[in-house]
Amino acid sequence: MATRQPPMVPLGDDDRDVALQHTPWRNRVTLSSIADAAEAFLASAGFDRGPWMAVLLAAGIGAWFILPNSAGWVACLAGGPLLALAALAKWKGRVDRTHLVTALIASGVLFAFGTGLIWARSAIVGQEAFERPMSEMVEGRVLERIEQPAQDRVRLVLAIRSPEDGEPVRIRVNVPLEQATPAMGEGALVRAQARLMPPAAPMLPGGYNFARRAWFDGLAATGSLQGDIEVVEPAPPDGALIASIQRSLSGHVRGELDGSAGSIAAAFASGDRGAISKADEDAMRDAGLTHLLSISGLHVSAVIGAAYLLAIKLLALWPWLTLRVRLPVMAAAFAALAGIGYTLLTGAEVPTVRSCIGALLVLVALALGREPLSLRMVAAAAFAVLLAWPESLVGPSFQMSFCAVIAIVALHNSEPVKRFLAPREESWLARLGRRTFMLLVTGMVIEIALMPIVLYHFHRAGIYGALANVVAIPLVTFVSMPLIAIALLFDTIGAGAPFWWLAGKSLDLLVGIAHFTAGQPGAVKLIPQMTLTTVLLFAAGGLWLALWKGRARLLGFLPAAAAIAMLMTTPIPDILISGDGRHVGITGEDERLLVLRDTRSAFTRENLLELAGVEGETMPMAAWPGAQCSPDFCAITVERGGRDWHILMSRSRDIVAERALAAACERSDIVVSDRWLPRSCEPRWFKADARMLSINGGLAIDLEGEHVRAVAEAEGEHGWWRGRREY
């Protein structure tokens, strides 16, 4: 039997408005419901303010580097406080909004403070580069002497009067080793004829940004000698005490040990890496062992741990002191002094300072009976480093150092790992097996965490690093470094030779592991195309996984998965063009990289190969069968995306008839030149001449996607970018 429907009554205008206001799809999401969900999430996900405060400070600093101009920087400075004020105005006094209001206020204030901090730092320490290359007679005081015997040179940082305007500036000059005398120490006055160059911008998109590094180091130019160097006033005997001790210690260690073992032992003892050969550096990098050469957490922890154990054992032998003083507190004080001294002696680089601060916080926690291994300790160290050197955020040293420590702490604070490592009744062999397995897992987690950073900065990463570190880390921590310390101690009585021999054998083993691992098939993965967006997604996912607790941390896999998808779909550039237009690389035509000019510059060649994702040697375009080259131009046709691309590149600066050049340009899709081309040169798609490159810098071109990346895209109006004048 059919159901009788009620009659339809037409709605009036007022009724229709009320109905629309209460439709489920309009009322489903409101500010209040979002706030409720956010508050519940923050309350249940283990909201720990300390680590996230460091992240927010870093985000504000990073925003200044990413945003191109002062309008964006001012927006960050204004937007942060406005967010905090809005949160206070909306939910002040609401008990059910405590976590959310705290998070919004901290986010706004710390983000804005980070942006203002790095902007102020840039304005205070930033140094304008020289306008052009020049050859000048310079006279100045030596501010820093950097030993680099592996490159047969010594680097001197000098304070001079600028040849352009007479203002005091800092420059860095390379002095051949045979001309560098001990009198050229810190405080000496020297005079020399030098060729000076403005600090170089990245040669290609994604390349090393020395101009940015020089800006924050206060360097106006770098260069080399064009003759002899004269010492007008020798270095004072009491000048730069720590630097002189460092050089003396490094020289003493290299005098006791020859070859690779001696150079690495000098790095461990004094932080001086200048004697390590390029072959050993490359092997350590490709084996995932480079972190062992940079004085960081491993070395500082070993020194402080050894000092703590030694102090507490020796102090325990004094019964009178044992009954009146808490030995852990005194031992922690001795260990702190040892850690600070080692940090100063090895140059106080960012990883060393971070490690020292973290280790000192661990000592304080031990002395107070608190949990020493926590993310709050890492956050405190990060805060201290960023407040002193906010520019370090964008450097690989800071990123890799903190990334590794965060991964270690987050892993060992997780419940499954705590249960796995919990004490239990078992044999020493089973205990050793669990510890060894955990060491391997820790190494793998560190390698995974560091992989995006390494690929972004260096475009290559060692695949077998976790396995190599399982042997290398205990070898350095428990064998090499203690033997070096004992050898130095016994050298005071002239009996250190046996310990130097043992230390040399252990370091030879370390170098052998590095070369063996790096030499295995597939040991190195080249990925030149990682973008800033990709690495930021990896960082966001990793931080979310590490800093949250419970199931909420699993949401960190979402940005990581998006980053992997972006990485897999980002194409390798088809054409690479250097910022001066002289060097062009073309990929995909051969296993080798086709280059316009064969160069003797290792820096240029390595940049082109790394950013093209190619290993081995380059192929000069003039020798490639598919290219047509004359003394003035090279023309080549490549097939991409189902069509032919005709590329014309200039090779000389000789005068060419404008009509002939215009006709050649008209037949080409892309024209590249290191000279200023006339307006009559109009290729079908793209022209990169000296005028265009002086504004945009080096280029990376994807032909199939018809996309061009320029160095200028990442530089904006920052002081170190020379193209900003026409940005």
Side-chain angles (χ1 to χ4, degrees):
M1 185 175 179
T3 303
R4 186 176 180 181
Q5 298 292 333
M8 298 294 293
V9 179
L11 293 175
D13 292 340
D14 294 339
D15 296 328
R16 187 179 297 107
D17 291 340
V18 172
L20 288 174
Q21 290 174 6
H22 290 85
T23 50
W25 64 272
R26 278 182 174 267
N27 201 38
R28 188 171 299 163
V29 178
T30 65
L31 179 61
S32 180
S33 65
I34 294 174
D36 288 338
E39 178 70 23
F41 175 77
L42 293 173
S44 63
F47 179 54
D48 191 352
R49 302 175 186 177
W52 283 109
M53 289 172 68
V55 172
L56 291 167
L57 178 66
I61 296 171
W64 184 84
F65 283 100
I66 293 172
L67 295 173
N69 52 45
S70 56
W73 310 337
V74 171
C76 290
L77 290 175
L82 286 176
L83 177 64
L85 291 174
L88 280 174
K90 180 68 177 176
W91 295 303
K92 183 179 180 180
R94 290 281 298 272
V95 179
D96 59 337
R97 294 283 189 274
T98 303
H99 291 91
L100 180 60
V101 171
T102 302
L104 291 176
I105 292 174
S107 299
V109 172
L110 286 171
F111 186 88
F113 177 71
T115 302
L117 177 66
I118 184 60
W119 196 354
R121 172 76 171 172
S122 174
I124 293 170
V125 306
Q127 175 60 59
E128 286 281 351
F130 287 177
E131 287 290 334
R132 64 190 185 284
M134 61 181 67
S135 178
E136 292 287 338
M137 176 65 71
V138 297
E139 180 177 307
R141 293 282 176 184
V142 177
L143 302 178
E144 184 180 5
R145 175 179 172 135
I146 306 167
E147 304 282 347
Q148 292 186 326
Q151 284 78 41
D152 292 322
R153 69 189 181 195
V154 168
R155 281 181 163 170
L156 300 180
V157 177
L158 306 177
I160 68 167
R161 291 286 180 180
S162 171
E164 295 180 336
D165 54 19
E167 293 294 320
V169 295
R170 290 155 55 103
I171 63 170
R172 194 184 70 193
V173 178
N174 294 332
V175 179
L177 200 59
E178 63 271 12
Q179 294 182 249
T181 65
M184 298 177 191
E186 287 82 354
L189 181 64
V190 298
R191 183 187 301 121
Q193 182 75 27
R195 176 171 172 77
L196 301 176
M197 300 285 292
M203 177 182 168
L204 297 161
Y208 175 57
N209 197 339
F210 178 63
R212 183 177 65 196
R213 171 70 181 271
W215 172 266
F216 286 103
D217 285 347
L219 295 177
T222 62
S224 57
L225 295 186
Q226 292 183 311
D228 295 330
I229 180 170
E230 176 188 357
V231 179
V232 180
E233 295 178 15
D238 57 346
L241 178 61
I242 293 178
S244 62
I245 294 174
Q246 182 187 38
R247 286 195 291 270
S248 298
L249 180 59
S250 177
H252 173 76
V253 172
R254 294 201 304 271
E256 297 293 334
L257 287 177
D258 296 328
S260 299
S263 60
I264 294 176
F268 290 166
S270 66
D272 178 12
R273 296 174 55 176
I276 301 175
S277 68
K278 188 176 185 305
D280 290 338
E281 287 260 19
D282 291 345
M284 296 288 283
R285 177 197 62 196
D286 293 342
L289 302 177
T290 298
H291 65 95
L292 297 177
L293 301 179
S294 175
I295 305 301
S296 57
L298 176 69
H299 312 80
V300 175
S301 300
V303 169
I304 290 180
Y308 181 87
L309 291 175
L310 184 62
I312 202 168
K313 295 296 183 183
L314 292 177
L315 292 173
L317 299 177
W318 191 358
W320 181 89
L321 187 67
T322 304
L323 295 174
R324 290 166 176 79
V325 178
R326 287 190 60 203
L327 293 187
V329 176
M330 287 201 67
F334 281 111
L337 290 175
I340 293 171
Y342 185 63
T343 299
L344 294 174
L345 181 63
T346 53
E349 299 290 338
V350 170
T352 320
V353 173
R354 188 273 308 160
S355 304
C356 184
I357 295 172
L360 294 180
L361 292 173
V362 169
L363 290 175
V364 172
L366 288 173
L368 298 177
R370 304 287 295 273
E371 172 61 39
L373 196 65
S374 71
L375 288 170
R376 288 192 176 188
M377 176 267 291
V378 181
F383 248 102
V385 172
L386 290 176
L387 287 175
W389 303 285
E391 70 275 10
S392 65
L393 175 72
V394 296
S397 178
F398 177 94
Q399 295 171 12
M400 294 173 66
S401 177
F402 278 96
C403 180
V405 175
I406 290 171
I408 293 171
V409 175
L411 176 67
H412 285 262
N413 282 344
S414 63
E415 289 302 322
V417 172
K418 286 183 176 180
R419 290 194 297 268
F420 181 76
L421 295 177
R424 65 195 70 180
E425 291 291 335
E426 61 183 352
S427 66
W428 68 269
L429 187 61
R431 188 181 307 110
L432 178 63
R434 280 194 300 116
R435 300 288 178 178
T436 303
F437 176 74
M438 198 63 231
L439 184 63
L440 178 61
V441 171
T442 302
M444 293 179 64
V445 169
I446 293 173
E447 288 296 318
I448 293 172
L450 292 181
M451 189 73 70
I453 299 173
V454 173
L455 290 175
Y456 178 73
H457 287 285
F458 307 112
H459 315 291
R460 57 192 294 147
I463 303 300
Y464 306 130
L467 298 175
N469 277 289
V470 169
V471 179
I473 290 177
L475 176 66
V476 169
T477 307
F478 302 113
V479 180
S480 299
M481 289 193 65
L483 283 172
I484 293 170
I486 294 171
L488 289 171
L489 179 64
F490 274 83
D491 273 350
T492 58
I493 58 173
F499 302 102
W500 283 122
W501 183 84
L502 291 172
K505 293 300 180 183
S506 69
L507 293 172
D508 287 337
L509 177 59
L510 174 66
V511 175
I513 292 171
H515 283 276
F516 174 79
T517 305
Q520 299 307 303
V524 179
K525 179 64 176 176
L526 296 178
I527 299 185
Q529 70 272 27
M530 182 178 286
T531 63
L532 177 62
T533 303
T534 304
V535 76
L536 288 178
L537 284 172
F538 274 122
L543 287 170
W544 193 276
L545 282 168
L547 302 186
W548 288 117
K549 298 179 181 178
R551 293 183 178 179
R553 69 176 11 169
L554 299 180
L555 293 173
F557 285 112
L558 296 179
I564 293 173
M566 289 183 63
L567 182 62
M568 300 301 293
T569 55
T570 303
I572 294 177
D574 296 298
I575 304 175
L576 297 169
I577 305 171
S578 66
D580 58 6
R582 289 183 51 79
H583 300 285
V584 181
I586 296 179
T587 65
E589 296 301 294
D590 187 60
E591 293 181 355
R592 294 163 294 183
L593 177 69
L594 302 185
V595 293
L596 178 62
R597 289 179 172 89
D598 198 7
T599 176
R600 291 180 296 177
S601 169
F603 175 80
T604 300
R605 185 168 54 252
E606 289 174 3
N607 264 265
L608 287 168
L609 288 171
E610 285 184 0
L611 292 164
V614 177
E615 286 190 285
E617 296 298 319
T618 58
M619 163 68 76
M621 213 166 294
W624 177 245
Q628 297 177 338
C629 292
S630 70
D632 297 317
F633 286 91
C634 264
I636 187 172
T637 300
V638 299
E639 191 274 328
R640 299 288 189 277
R643 60 162 289 190
D644 289 337
W645 294 84
H646 303 285
I647 307 167
L648 180 67
M649 298 157 283
S650 70
R651 302 180 68 195
S652 76
R653 289 184 170 271
D654 294 340
I655 297 176
V656 179
E658 182 177 355
R659 188 180 298 275
L661 177 60
C665 292
E666 189 177 353
R667 295 191 298 268
S668 304
D669 297 290
I670 300 171
V671 175
V672 181
S673 178
D674 60 344
R675 65 173 79 177
W676 288 47
L677 297 178
R679 296 187 183 277
S680 58
C681 175
E682 296 183 356
R684 290 192 287 261
W685 185 62
F686 187 73
K687 180 171 73 173
D689 66 347
R691 180 189 295 106
M692 183 266 189
L693 293 171
S694 67
I695 299 173
N696 294 281
L699 307 174
I701 302 176
D702 169 31
L703 294 178
E704 185 171 350
E706 298 188 8
H707 177 69
V708 179
R709 287 177 56 206
V711 169
E713 294 175 7
E715 302 303 311
E717 293 181 359
H718 295 95
W720 57 84
W721 173 239
R722 299 179 63 81
R724 70 188 183 281
R725 298 173 181 84
E726 302 183 57
Y727 183 78

